[in-house]
Amino acid sequence: MSERSNMLAHLWAHQRESSGSNNGGNFYFHGKDIYSFGPHFRCASVETNQQGKRAYLVTTCKYSTTTAKHMNFVRQAIPCGEIVFNTPRAVSLYKGRFHFADYREAAYAIIDKLEEIDACIDAQQRARTEDYREQVGKCLHFIGDWIAFWGLDRRQKSAEGRWLMSVLDKLRSSDKKDIAEFWHVAEISEKNVRDKRKTDKSKYRDLLDDILSRDLIQTTAVADFEQRVDRLFLDRTGDPELWTRFEARCLQQAETNRCNNELREQRRIERRERHRLEVEANRLYDSLPYEEKQKLWHEGKIITTNFYVPSELGYNALLRVYKGRVETSLGIRIKAREAARLWALVDHFHRNEAEFRHDLVLDADNNQWTINSYSDDIMTAGCHRIPYLEMHEAARQLGIAS
């Protein structure tokens, strides 16, 4: 199926056929658009501008695991060197002209990038390792390339026959109607569906003016571009020490990462050593009589918690106090405070089994175990059957029983 989907994506990318679908029918294209699971999710489209140049609009909307595979096929199928715009916006020309709705959607794509730039500048003030200058540079190049591809920098006639101004002139307009029309943006939902509601994003008008005043929207490389992007961060945050502070956080994070890596490695070494000692101890004690092994386990000299108790004894679990906690021979640990609460119940059941009632045991890993029964001085909790004498000895060692 993946081979068919891969071929399908290539047929779409090269526009060799007018339509097609994979065997399951959940990945298909019709003309310039390719979809995943239906028309609600457009993966990408092949668009042509007024000069006959081609570009691929690839959605940035979130998607499911299966759709993610479809998106990978789409990206891999796009020929190297082609113009690619990663955007959730769907923009097309009709006979070489914009419908007004597409012209406005093209403006929304610019505002999306302004919002991303603003978020990057804000995040840089707290960033510990991420340098957002490159991401902002890509957003600025996107805006420049987007305007150049669609001819948004010049006056043009729409498909409806009305004149459309340069999109930047529209976005910089102080006319209330233009602000309502272009800065109240139709959002794109995670399912790649245009939301009927609109969000007021006119707060980014100042950012657009600032970017234009610095001559940062360019379709080709310009002198000192990186330095001017750098300056944009400093001026927008109002922090002349922004990069000095960022470098200090980077060094601090690097040191933290180094310490954490050392700690993880030390823990791995300790785990391997504990396992080695446990294997050696088990091998050494396997030949001993059960009574002697039981004594050594209670004393903590046998490390393993999964200690076998002969079935003929009528119970299957022992208890010991180890490093301030109560451990069972089946590998469960209980904190001393919880052990004290349980001992009060067990001591009561020991005196009068008829008054048994169900309860829950909270282990050291915050897992709950049900106390199922108490009969013949043996408590059953989950898979554990523990004799009273074991519980009394553990309580005595904790100092909560005489």
Side-chain angles (χ1 to χ4, degrees):
M1 184 176 289
S2 62
E3 191 172 318
R4 172 60 184 162
S5 295
N6 187 39
M7 178 60 69
L8 177 79
H10 277 83
L11 290 173
W12 160 80
H14 294 274
Q15 293 287 277
R16 290 176 181 167
E17 295 183 11
S18 59
S19 63
S21 67
N22 65 357
N23 294 333
N26 58 6
F27 185 41
Y28 65 94
F29 73 91
H30 183 73
K32 63 185 181 59
D33 300 306
I34 187 164
Y35 302 97
S36 177
F37 286 99
H40 67 281
F41 197 95
R42 179 191 57 84
C43 299
S45 64
V46 186
E47 303 296 342
T48 304
N49 68 5
Q50 293 159 341
Q51 287 74 43
K53 289 185 179 179
R54 185 168 63 182
Y56 294 82
L57 273 59
V58 180
T59 187
T60 55
C61 289
K62 295 180 181 178
Y63 30 76
S64 67
T65 303
T66 304
T67 297
K69 294 177 183 177
H70 295 163
M71 292 298 300
N72 284 334
F73 291 133
V74 166
R75 292 192 187 94
Q76 292 167 9
I78 296 173
C80 183
E82 293 286 340
I83 300 171
V84 178
F85 293 112
N86 294 296
T87 175
R89 303 293 168 181
V91 179
S92 294
L93 296 180
Y94 174 74
K95 295 183 179 179
R97 292 184 178 184
F98 278 117
H99 282 293
F100 182 76
D102 284 295
Y103 170 73
R104 187 176 53 197
E105 196 75 5
Y108 289 164
I110 295 172
I111 296 171
D112 290 342
K113 291 301 176 182
L114 291 174
E115 185 174 19
E116 187 176 340
I117 290 169
D118 185 74
C120 287
I121 293 172
D122 180 62
Q124 192 64 67
Q125 299 174 86
R126 302 177 300 278
R128 302 189 68 83
T129 57
E130 184 74 24
D131 189 336
Y132 289 95
R133 283 173 286 192
E134 183 179 354
Q135 188 172 338
V136 166
K138 288 180 179 179
C139 289
L140 292 168
H141 285 305
F142 174 98
I143 295 172
D145 294 339
W146 183 258
I147 290 172
F149 181 80
W150 295 114
L152 296 169
D153 53 346
R154 65 179 183 271
R155 189 166 173 261
Q156 56 183 293
K157 261 194 174 181
S158 72
E160 296 91 349
R162 61 189 286 191
W163 283 103
L164 303 174
M165 293 172 59
S166 161
V167 75
L168 292 180
D169 288 340
K170 275 292 184 183
L171 291 175
R172 300 183 79 183
S173 171
S174 58
D175 186 276
K176 289 183 179 179
K177 184 178 179 182
D178 286 336
I179 293 172
E181 186 76 61
F182 290 91
W183 287 98
H184 288 72
V185 178
E187 299 287 1
I188 304 291
S189 73
E190 290 187 1
K191 293 182 177 179
N192 209 357
V193 177
R194 203 163 109 178
D195 200 325
K196 292 181 180 179
R197 295 170 298 175
K198 291 190 174 185
T199 305
D200 182 0
K201 298 189 178 181
S202 57
K203 65 180 180 179
Y204 302 120
R205 292 178 68 216
D206 172 66
L207 175 59
L208 176 61
D209 287 337
D210 196 4
I211 287 170
L212 290 172
S213 69
R214 298 169 190 268
D215 200 25
L216 283 172
I217 296 179
Q218 299 287 341
T219 57
T220 57
V222 293
D224 303 324
F225 178 78
E226 289 79 8
Q227 289 83 349
R228 279 186 276 167
V229 170
D230 188 298
R231 192 73 230 174
L232 177 69
F233 275 82
L234 296 176
D235 293 343
R236 297 295 297 184
T237 60
D239 182 4
E241 301 298 319
L242 176 68
W243 301 118
T244 302
R245 298 180 203 279
F246 173 61
E247 288 173 7
R249 290 196 299 272
C250 282
L251 291 173
Q252 184 181 19
Q253 188 62 48
E255 178 62 18
T256 299
N257 292 343
R258 185 189 65 79
C259 292
N260 288 340
N261 288 336
E262 286 184 356
L263 182 61
R264 280 193 290 270
E265 181 58 28
Q266 181 61 34
R267 286 173 177 169
R268 279 196 293 270
I269 292 171
E270 289 173 356
R271 284 196 298 270
R272 287 197 296 268
E273 180 63 13
R274 282 198 301 271
H275 178 70
R276 186 187 66 80
L277 291 174
E278 186 174 324
V279 170
E280 287 186 359
N282 289 342
R283 188 181 302 118
L284 177 65
Y285 297 128
D286 272 349
S287 59
L288 298 176
Y290 169 74
E291 291 75 12
E292 194 171 340
K293 287 192 288 186
Q294 179 186 7
K295 180 175 180 295
L296 292 171
W297 185 86
H298 276 125
E299 293 172 351
K301 293 178 182 177
I302 295 180
I303 301 171
T304 182
T305 50
N306 290 306
F307 182 80
Y308 173 72
V309 176
S311 58
E312 59 266 21
L313 294 178
Y315 54 87
N316 67 351
L318 306 176
L319 296 182
R320 69 181 176 190
V321 178
Y322 189 69
K323 295 183 178 180
R325 294 181 178 183
V326 176
E327 284 188 349
T328 78
S329 59
L330 294 178
I332 300 301
R333 297 170 301 161
I334 301 170
K335 293 180 180 178
R337 185 175 179 178
E338 176 71 354
R341 184 187 73 84
L342 292 171
W343 170 246
L345 291 174
V346 168
D347 192 43
H348 178 76
F349 299 155
H350 170 67
R351 298 175 193 278
N352 192 347
E353 288 187 0
E355 294 184 14
F356 167 78
R357 65 179 184 274
H358 293 279
D359 207 305
L360 294 174
V361 181
L362 185 68
D363 69 21
D365 297 316
N366 290 323
N367 297 312
Q368 289 186 329
W369 300 77
T370 303
I371 299 179
N372 305 104
S373 66
Y374 191 94
S375 178
D376 296 330
D377 265 346
I378 293 179
M379 183 181 75
T380 302
C383 61
H384 289 68
R385 296 193 307 280
I386 309 170
Y388 172 79
L389 291 177
E390 287 289 312
M391 294 182 280
H392 181 272
E393 177 59 22
R396 187 191 66 78
Q397 291 182 42
L398 289 173
I400 56 178
S402 58

